[in-house]
Amino acid sequence: MSPTQPLAVPAIETHPIPPAIAEEIDTFEAEAMRLLSGDASSDLFKPFRLQYGIYGQRQAGVQMVRIKIPFGGISANQLRRVAELADRYATGVGHVTTRQDIQMHFVELKDVPTIMRGLAEVGLTTREACANTVRNVTACHLAGVCRGEVFDVTPYAKTVAYHLLRNPLNQSLPRKFKIAFSGCAHDCALTPIHDIGLLAVKRADGDIGFRMVAGGGLGSAPRVAQLLREFTPMDELIPSIEAVIKVFDTLGNRKNRNKARMKFVIDKLGFEEFKRRWEAAYVSMGHALPRHEPIRLLQHQDEPPALIMPLRNGAAHGNGNGNGIQRGQETPFEMWKRTNVITQKQDGYVTAAIKLFMGDITAEQMLAVAGLAERYSNGNLRTTINQNIVIRWIPEQQIENLYGDLAAQGLADPGAELVEDIIACPGTDTCGLGITSSKGLARALAEVFPAGRVPADLAGVDVKISGCHNSCAQHHISTIGLHGVGKRIGEHTLPMYELHLGGKVHGAAKIGQMTVKLPAKAVSAAITHLIDVYRRDRKPGESMPAFIDRVGKHALKDELIPYTIVPSYEDDPTFYYDWEGEEPFILEDLGPGECAGGALEMIENGILEADQELYQAKLLVENHQYSVSVNKSYRAVLAAAKALLVTEGLEPSTDAETFIEFDSRIAQKGVVPAKYRALSKIVGDLGPKETTEESAREKMLFAKGFVDACRVATDQMGKDLKLSAVKTEPPPTAPAPVETKPAAPAPTGAPVYDLRGVACPMNYVKTKLKLEMMDAGEKLEVWLDAGEPIKNVPMSLKNDGHKVLVQEALEADAAHYRVLVEKVGE
């Protein structure tokens, strides 16, 4: 599909496709042809397609093909075949992912079987790169050459990957399952965020094995993995992994996709009970019992080329982190060598990282890299989880020649694997789940972090951008993480990003804290200010990650509030365009069932509005506008109170009603400290009667305390929208919505909850609260408007695990609907 003439590809060494794999591809082709001819359902074809590593794109009629690259190991011969296929059937570009896979986009379905056969001829596959299976097994790209590794994890990663490929044990798991191997304490493969993480260790007696953690994951509910085995002997490695998969397969939630990952199994059971179940599964799986024999490893041939004159390791080589280097007037080669070249543990050899901007590499560049890997090394390459490619085993004296050849191909950018090497998922470029243009923002941030010229004080910082909450770019574990959301203001929507700060994996793993929500066009300025604050307030020798940990989320949020303010469309329409967007931003219909997410967003937006009002109150006091400042403090209290009332399904229409409902439904439950009870009496005092600086500051301090208390309550709240109560005294009885019996159609016998005229997501919140007061097995008939309410609420109730028994129109014109719901117990 490349518009230019096909590339001249050197001869590729191929092998006959094994009969079982050939039959597998024939089966896929037959089903694809049935779909294209209209003889098969797309709904039925979708899970089948995903099992084979083929994703639908947001663009109709084309596919994304994901090639599985275990541990990132790919040969020059294989890379040439990928280049050939990308040029002929895709866009002429390959995309390296954060799981070390390579993706091709905009492939027509009719061409997918041909691509599969072309890959199989060189030992590659797309099988199980997607779907509810064990995904690509990742490993550190320096495994085998790292100076700090305990041992080379490559053969173990390869053995596990191919043992599980097409394994009946994991063909239909509740959800995807991810495994990673790291060879040293630096943990380049990020084991704490995986379903199973394996870290190389060596005991005092000299035996080697793996420290095994389980239950990690990112997405909308990030978790850090917990320790399952301090030491896993090699002969028990595969049985231990199989037993974890078995527990997950048995106990994983198959009803609710949003609660299906293994981390939710552990949440439900508790880790000790999960561990007990794992031990029982280990014993029950007869084929998995340890036989105390050495593990049968699949070897990866990676012998070095001969050195003309072996050299000693020296400190003159780049170390991949740019720390402590006197840069002065560096030449482009010296800058690249400092940031992209790593000295190996083997004397005389180095590894060079090829920085791919957001993981993209053209077919022509792939051919060039394949040739260079053979010319300067042994023909082997590795993809990295930071979306780059490395060539290992380069004789030290050849590195400048390699640089010249890379520069000729546009592949000699400095800064590989450093802060300027920003990680971004495809976002709205191709992904059907993408909300924002993560790649567009990454290109904008390149001005904040110029390649090879980022000051040394930002060593150890990383930036990751996901186009939605699913965290494909792993934004939760970066120093500066961003994920895309949308926000409606009046008749327009704008792209925004949630900013997560302080995430890390090295040392004690930590999920970054969501700090503030920023308009996409303000992100660059906000991050620039964040760096300025770090340089202004840091302690001597303090790194930026350490600074973020010390200062904390709330202080940094106060600094960033000015960047959250959104101008109206009339004042500045550019805010309503995504980065590199040519049309105003819109939220694509990503499917129903997002009511709970909408309610959470209403709560978050309410707290953000309160913070913005407080920020303005502070500025007004400093400018001696005391009366207006008091009004802003009042508005902050009002916004925070309204935010918490969302959990009760309420949207009060007046200020007085807001304060009365807050007192009866929130404050009296002890959700906030007792001093914030009877809020209507207290906030009457926030009127602009006294306008001295002292009184304005006192009222601002009260408002800030109240907003902080509301924030603490929401921080402790889960997606069930339940607020934690310090006291258990019952709140005063609140007015209940009117319940009636329907006249027509035929009554169901269940009580009726009339929510006609109530918009999303409040209709869902009200229904959810009503069901919480009922016993399992009881039924509730809910009346909803046509459009978004009937589209979203039933699906959200199903996602909560309830049964929707009836869904039908109330009137002939279908302006309103009724839904009969049966409550399902926990």
Side-chain angles (χ1 to χ4, degrees):
M1 289 183 21
S2 179
T4 58
Q5 291 296 318
L7 286 175
V9 181
I12 295 173
E13 182 182 349
T14 61
H15 301 280
I17 302 174
I21 296 177
E23 182 179 358
E24 177 181 287
I25 298 172
D26 290 344
T27 300
F28 180 90
E29 184 171 42
E31 289 302 305
M33 293 307 107
R34 286 185 64 224
L35 178 72
L36 292 173
S37 65
D39 294 333
S41 160
S42 60
D43 289 338
L44 292 176
F45 182 70
K46 179 180 177 180
F48 176 80
R49 161 174 60 77
L50 289 170
Q51 198 84 5
Y52 282 78
I54 312 301
Y55 262 109
Q57 292 186 192
R58 69 190 299 121
Q59 297 84 1
V62 290
Q63 317 295 317
M64 179 269 279
V65 175
R66 180 178 289 163
I67 306 166
K68 216 171 186 181
I69 315 288
F71 65 89
I74 188 169
S75 69
N77 187 64
Q78 291 171 327
L79 189 61
R80 288 193 183 98
R81 174 51 58 90
V82 175
E84 177 187 43
L85 296 173
D87 181 66
R88 185 173 300 174
Y89 300 109
T91 58
V93 175
H95 175 75
V96 177
T97 76
T98 55
R99 292 211 65 75
Q100 297 177 291
D101 297 313
I102 297 179
Q103 294 176 177
M104 296 184 285
H105 295 90
F106 293 93
V107 176
E108 294 186 37
L109 183 59
K110 66 180 179 63
D111 293 325
V112 171
T114 304
I115 291 174
M116 288 177 169
R117 292 188 182 99
L119 293 170
E121 288 177 343
V122 295
L124 293 174
T125 185
T126 62
R127 178 73 190 229
E128 297 157 40
C130 312
N132 298 330
T133 61
V134 175
R135 300 291 183 87
N136 194 41
V137 176
T138 58
C140 176
H141 58 277
L142 295 176
V145 301
C146 173
R147 287 175 291 176
E149 70 182 2
V150 178
F151 58 86
D152 182 6
V153 301
T154 300
Y156 302 94
K158 183 174 182 177
T159 300
V160 168
Y162 285 99
H163 174 78
L164 295 174
L165 181 65
R166 300 183 176 89
N167 190 317
L169 180 66
N170 58 271
Q171 292 307 296
S172 186
L173 297 175
R175 197 69 174 85
K176 59 189 173 185
F177 195 92
K178 298 179 178 180
I179 301 174
F181 284 79
S182 279
C184 72
H186 188 67
D187 200 355
C188 296
L190 312 178
T191 59
I193 64 166
H194 285 77
D195 293 285
I196 293 178
L198 295 149
L199 184 68
V201 290
K202 185 176 183 179
R203 293 196 308 203
D205 61 8
D207 284 352
I208 60 171
F210 289 98
R211 183 179 189 270
M212 186 176 187
V213 295
L218 299 179
S220 59
R223 300 285 190 280
V224 173
Q226 300 181 61
L227 180 62
L228 187 65
R229 297 192 73 175
E230 189 68 55
F231 184 84
T232 308
M234 293 309 186
D235 59 334
E236 298 179 15
L237 176 61
I238 287 177
S240 296
I241 292 171
E242 286 186 333
V244 173
I245 295 172
K246 181 66 174 177
V247 173
F248 176 49
D249 187 45
T250 303
L251 300 178
N253 189 334
R254 296 180 186 272
K255 293 181 179 180
N256 185 350
R257 180 179 173 85
N258 297 323
K259 295 276 182 81
R261 290 293 297 275
M262 194 175 75
K263 58 191 175 184
F264 295 111
V265 174
I266 293 173
D267 283 353
K268 184 175 181 179
L269 294 178
F271 194 75
E272 289 307 311
E273 176 62 16
F274 173 83
K275 188 173 182 179
R276 189 190 70 76
R277 300 286 184 103
W278 166 77
E279 290 170 345
Y282 189 98
V283 172
S284 69
M285 297 173 70
H287 68 279
L289 289 175
R291 295 176 176 83
H292 301 288
E293 298 174 356
I295 186 171
R296 296 180 181 179
L297 292 175
L298 298 178
Q299 296 302 319
H300 180 66
Q301 300 303 316
D302 197 24
E303 286 73 26
L307 287 174
I308 297 173
M309 184 180 297
L311 302 175
R312 299 292 299 171
N313 283 344
H317 292 297
N319 55 15
N321 61 26
N323 277 323
I325 305 295
Q326 295 299 318
R327 298 176 186 177
Q329 298 298 315
E330 288 180 311
T331 66
F333 166 66
E334 290 169 338
M335 182 184 294
W336 176 84
K337 183 180 177 183
R338 169 174 57 81
T339 62
N340 292 40
V341 178
I342 301 164
T343 303
Q344 295 185 186
K345 66 181 180 180
Q346 296 86 1
D347 285 352
Y349 293 99
V350 295
T351 291
I354 301 170
K355 183 184 175 187
L356 307 179
F357 190 64
M358 289 177 292
D360 290 344
I361 180 170
T362 67
E364 187 174 6
Q365 288 173 329
M366 282 189 255
L367 292 179
V369 169
L372 295 177
E374 290 177 333
R375 184 185 311 166
Y376 292 101
S377 183
N378 58 9
N380 286 337
L381 303 115
R382 302 252 179 140
T383 54
T384 84
I385 63 169
N386 288 325
Q387 301 178 286
N388 296 314
I389 293 177
V390 299
I391 303 177
R392 298 136 55 98
W393 295 108
I394 304 164
E396 188 174 12
Q397 69 272 23
Q398 292 290 325
I399 195 64
E400 189 163 6
N401 293 334
L402 171 64
Y403 168 79
D405 288 337
L406 287 172
Q409 298 295 327
L411 292 171
D413 286 345
E417 308 282 311
L418 303 181
V419 61
E420 57 262 51
D421 195 0
I422 296 170
I423 307 302
C425 72
T428 50
D429 285 11
T430 55
C431 180
L433 298 176
I435 295 173
T436 56
S437 176
S438 41
K439 284 189 170 184
L441 176 59
R443 281 186 277 269
L445 287 176
E447 296 183 9
V448 180
F449 303 102
R453 298 190 300 277
V454 176
D457 63 352
L458 296 183
V461 172
D462 54 357
V463 180
K464 300 178 188 287
I465 309 169
S466 299
C468 73
H469 69 269
N470 284 312
S471 201
C472 292
Q474 303 168 339
H475 63 268
H476 287 107
I477 54 163
S478 60
T479 315
I480 298 171
L482 297 143
H483 89 258
V485 295
K487 181 178 182 179
R488 179 174 292 278
I489 297 182
E491 297 300 314
H492 301 278
T493 56
L494 75 155
M496 299 192 70
Y497 283 88
E498 292 189 0
L499 174 64
H500 301 250
L501 295 177
K504 61 179 181 178
V505 165
H506 311 310
K510 178 183 176 183
I511 301 298
Q513 291 189 296
M514 206 295 279
T515 304
V516 76
K517 194 177 293 187
L518 301 163
K521 292 299 176 70
V523 170
S524 294
I527 291 178
T528 298
H529 181 67
L530 178 66
I531 295 169
D532 290 343
V533 170
Y534 158 61
R535 289 172 176 154
R536 181 191 73 198
D537 297 341
R538 66 189 174 189
K539 292 182 176 180
E542 187 174 40
S543 68
M544 188 169 184
F547 171 78
I548 290 172
D549 283 347
R550 176 176 64 81
V551 173
K553 162 183 170 178
H554 298 307
L556 295 175
K557 183 173 187 175
D558 288 345
E559 288 283 351
L560 295 171
I561 286 295
Y563 300 93
T564 68
I565 297 171
V566 181
S568 69
Y569 185 84
E570 291 71 25
D571 288 341
D572 191 347
T574 63
F575 271 71
Y576 298 80
Y577 286 71
D578 207 346
W579 284 103
E580 302 177 359
E582 297 180 356
E583 300 291 335
F585 179 78
I586 60 170
L587 279 176
E588 299 286 351
D589 182 6
L590 300 179
E594 296 298 325
C595 296
L600 287 169
E601 186 171 4
M602 287 180 68
I603 295 167
E604 290 172 1
N605 287 343
I607 299 297
L608 175 60
E609 180 184 344
D611 284 329
Q612 291 173 337
E613 296 285 7
L614 282 172
Y615 169 74
Q616 293 184 62
K618 181 172 179 287
L619 291 181
L620 289 164
V621 165
E622 291 170 353
N623 287 297
H624 313 295
Q625 299 181 44
Y626 306 129
S627 296
V628 187
S629 170
V630 169
N631 180 263
K632 290 296 181 182
S633 296
Y634 171 86
R635 291 291 157 195
V637 172
L638 185 66
K642 283 185 173 181
L644 264 62
L645 285 173
V646 171
T647 65
E648 297 290 320
L650 295 177
E651 285 185 293
S653 56
T654 67
D655 295 0
E657 184 184 354
T658 298
F659 296 134
I660 291 170
E661 294 289 1
F662 183 89
D663 190 53
S664 64
R665 295 174 180 263
I666 305 294
Q668 294 299 330
K669 292 180 181 178
V671 172
V672 295
K675 66 180 179 179
Y676 298 120
R677 295 182 184 179
L679 199 58
S680 57
K681 296 180 181 178
I682 302 172
V683 294
D685 235 7
L686 291 181
K689 296 175 183 177
E690 302 178 45
T691 56
T692 65
E693 178 180 359
E694 182 180 0
S695 64
R697 289 190 181 277
E698 285 178 0
K699 291 171 183 180
M700 184 173 64
L701 187 63
F702 172 86
K704 188 176 188 312
F706 177 77
V707 173
D708 286 344
C710 292
R711 186 186 352 266
V712 168
T714 60
D715 285 347
Q716 296 171 350
M717 177 187 68
K719 287 195 173 181
D720 58 1
L721 306 182
K722 292 181 180 177
L723 296 170
S724 299
V726 177
K727 296 184 179 181
T728 57
E729 59 184 274
T733 303
V738 177
E739 294 184 9
T740 61
K741 293 286 183 181
T748 62
V752 172
Y753 200 18
D754 188 352
L755 295 177
R756 292 174 296 180
V758 180
C760 295
M762 298 307 296
N763 44 23
Y764 161 74
V765 176
K766 289 175 181 288
T767 305
K768 180 181 178 67
L769 292 169
K770 193 73 173 176
L771 287 168
E772 287 178 357
M773 300 169 63
M774 300 169 62
D775 294 328
E778 289 188 318
K779 299 179 180 66
L780 177 68
E781 183 174 323
V782 184
W783 290 4
L784 299 164
D785 293 334
E788 292 298 311
I790 191 59
K791 178 181 177 183
N792 285 337
V793 174
M795 183 64 72
S796 293
L797 294 174
K798 289 179 183 177
N799 288 343
D800 288 343
H802 303 300
K803 294 180 181 178
V804 175
L805 305 176
V806 176
Q807 182 173 323
E808 61 186 9
L810 275 171
E811 301 108 354
D813 63 358
H816 305 96
Y817 286 76
R818 71 172 179 177
V819 176
L820 183 63
V821 186
E822 179 181 330
K823 178 175 179 177
V824 176
E826 294 297 328

